Amino acid sequence: MPRLPSSSHPAEVRAVFGQNLRVLCEGESSISDLCRRIGINRTQFNRYLGGEAFPRPDILQRICAHFSVDARILLEPIAQIRADWRLRAALSLRDVAMPPRARPFDHYLMPDGIYRFWRKSFSHPGKYVTGLWRVHTEDNVKKLKSFDLYPHPVRRGTRRAARKVPYSGVFMQHFDGVSLLCSTGSENVLSFTFFEYGLSGSTRYYNGVSILTRRQMQDTARLSNIVLERFAGDCADLIRLARQIGIGDGHTVPEPARRALDRLPDEA
């Protein structure tokens, strides 16, 4: 585990914690509201942000619990901590996908590259989600990297997207399709997806169903059809697709994919 050198000046150590807090607070509506919810004095919290002080153990526990992190935020950059979480999640998923003596993935069935997907929104009834996946192979294990883009503003009155939540996954091959197990790492949410090859006789798409592991909540779903398409365009096409990422009314969803998505109800 990377650590700050023992010769580091106390001010440098506090600066790491302050920078970590500023990154973690990017998704908050306001610092004042955050302090009220955690139960921390606003003036003192500003000192933490400015790298002027460390919190008491009980205050640190509240901060860690709120942001779902651990005490390493005192000493290690948050980017490194999140990278470690993603690595541990990927290793765990690899053990599931490739147990001893498992058949290697037939990569020609799902070549490495960029893929576009569409599915019904789990949290916005009647809306559709468009996203991009990067599918790649490491140690003969087929993996995925992507992120969810939240539509809510970071701060009230702004247009800036709230945050991107990265997630990773691994594919497992079956005789009639592939399964995908994904994890968001620190947020402890899993999704399980099964794809069959082709859609209505077309080999352009992969047709499947996706399940989200969370409790049932009002006006939300845990099950949706999903359609995947391998990207085959140029850089300009990729930029155009990237601008469509997020939640919308489905006007950019191709008609064959739209019909497949609409076969499932909004709630399940």
Side-chain angles (χ1 to χ4, degrees), residues 4 13 17 64 83 96 110 124 152 159 164 170 197 220 238 254:
L4 290 171
V13 179
F17 176 59
C64 290
V96 173
M110 182 173 282
H124 295 75
H152 311 294
R159 294 184 178 181
K164 294 186 294 186
V170 291
Y197 305 118
T220 65
L238 183 58

Side-chain angles (χ1 to χ4, degrees), residues 65-207:
H66 176 80
F67 291 111
S68 298
V69 296
D70 56 44
R72 286 186 296 165
I73 60 171
L74 289 172
L75 301 175
E76 299 178 36
I78 193 66
Q80 179 61 50
I81 296 174
R82 287 173 170 169
D84 290 345
W85 287 335
R86 291 193 292 270
L87 176 60
R88 287 198 296 269
L91 292 175
S92 298
L93 291 173
R94 183 183 63 187
D95 292 338
V96 173
M98 296 291 292
R101 296 182 297 279
R103 174 184 176 181
F105 200 99
D106 293 322
H107 297 289
Y108 70 90
L109 295 172
M110 182 173 282
D112 289 357
I114 303 298
Y115 288 76
R116 173 171 55 168
F117 74 88
W118 303 273
R119 64 166 170 80
K120 285 291 191 68
S121 172
F122 292 123
S123 55
H124 295 75
K127 297 294 185 178
Y128 298 81
V129 174
T130 301
L132 293 176
W133 287 348
R134 175 183 170 238
V135 176
H136 62 291
T137 303
E138 294 181 16
D139 299 326
N140 208 36
V141 177
K142 185 71 70 176
K143 299 183 180 181
L144 175 145
K145 292 187 68 175
S146 187
F147 61 85
D148 281 331
L149 183 63
Y150 280 65
H152 311 294
V154 172
R155 304 184 192 284
R156 296 186 181 96
T158 70
R159 294 184 178 181
R160 181 181 171 191
R163 54 176 177 160
K164 294 186 294 186
V165 178
Y167 59 90
S168 59
V170 291
F171 292 92
M172 295 162 277
Q173 184 175 329
H174 309 281
F175 74 92
D176 56 351
V178 295
S179 294
L180 171 64
L181 182 62
C182 286
S183 168
T184 56
S186 62
E187 297 198 5
N188 299 322
V189 176
L190 296 175
S191 66
F192 182 80
T193 303
F194 176 79
F195 288 107
E196 57 186 273
Y197 305 118
L199 172 63
S200 301
S202 172
T203 58
R204 179 180 176 183
Y205 302 107
Y206 301 78
N207 182 36

